[in-house]
Amino acid sequence: MIKRKLTTNLRTHDAGYFVIGVKTNTISLPPAKDIYQIDSYCQSDVPPGDYHVFASGLHMHTLGRQIWTEHFRNINGTSVKISNIGCDDFFDFNQQRFTPLDAVIRPGDSFITHCVWDTSSKSVNTKGCESPACEMCLNFLPYYPKVETDECLGEAIPVSNPQKEQHCS
């Protein structure tokens, strides 16, 4: 059951969604692979301030098997992994959900989103697009306070020799 509460007392901040992951038009998955991995790197260009992320909604289509996003911050000139900012080792297109999260994104933070697909049932390449017949690799992060910058998408980078392993802890 969903409960709604109406109020005249507005919240201090509006919320928005950061979309992190792979530029959909750069996805091209070869057929007949039980493991095929693409990684994508991006660096945030949010204005100065702290942006509070309160959930992660990982999104792929029917061939997706694993997805996770690593969050990095430059500390004293060194890129340091802060945490996974969304992770699903057993992705199921029919069981997508938002998972609660407590993270802060700052200007200059960077992200690597990893996606693993099983194309063993396919005989032709699968492209990226919004239709479930194609594929996607995205992480929707609701956050506040809302700003105009809301995407951090990178090119698809195929991974040579991907391994079946778990990444979520």
Side-chain angles (χ1 to χ4, degrees):
M1 173 173 26
I2 297 175
K3 292 182 180 182
R4 289 190 295 170
K5 180 179 178 182
L6 301 176
T7 180
T8 57
N9 299 326
L10 299 180
R11 293 191 168 120
T12 306
H13 301 289
D14 286 335
Y17 281 95
F18 285 129
V19 181
I20 294 176
V22 181
K23 290 179 183 175
T24 302
N25 65 347
T26 68
I27 295 173
S28 180
L29 309 177
K33 302 279 186 188
D34 62 339
I35 302 174
Y36 189 77
Q37 182 174 332
I38 286 177
D39 291 351
S40 175
Y41 170 85
C42 72
Q43 186 170 11
S44 70
D45 60 354
V46 295
D50 286 353
Y51 300 91
H52 301 271
V53 176
F54 54 90
S56 168
L58 300 166
H59 182 71
M60 301 171 80
H61 288 166
T62 59
L63 301 177
R65 297 298 177 262
Q66 286 182 301
I67 179 172
W68 70 102
T69 300
E70 296 177 288
H71 178 198
F72 296 87
R73 182 165 295 140
N74 187 325
I75 299 176
N76 298 324
T78 302
S79 182
V80 176
K81 181 177 175 182
I82 303 298
S83 66
N84 282 341
I85 191 165
C87 190
D88 192 341
D89 280 330
F90 305 99
F91 183 84
D92 182 339
F93 178 73
N94 297 308
Q95 300 294 321
Q96 296 184 63
R97 65 200 177 281
F98 277 88
T99 304
L101 184 65
D102 184 13
V104 174
I105 292 176
R106 295 188 176 131
D109 284 2
S110 57
F111 306 91
I112 301 175
T113 299
H114 311 268
C115 285
V116 177
W117 290 273
D118 178 352
T119 64
S120 59
S121 64
K122 298 293 182 178
S123 59
V124 296
N125 276 15
T126 302
K127 299 292 183 188
C129 77
E130 292 184 13
S131 162
C134 303
E135 279 299 327
M136 298 182 99
C137 175
L138 299 171
N139 189 350
F140 295 93
L141 301 171
Y143 74 98
Y144 68 91
K146 184 179 180 180
V147 292
E148 294 304 312
T149 304
D150 61 359
E151 280 188 353
C152 191
L153 302 174
E155 303 286 324
I157 303 167
V159 173
S160 58
N161 302 315
Q163 303 296 313
K164 284 187 181 179
E165 44 187 65
Q166 293 188 5
H167 302 278
C168 309
S169 48

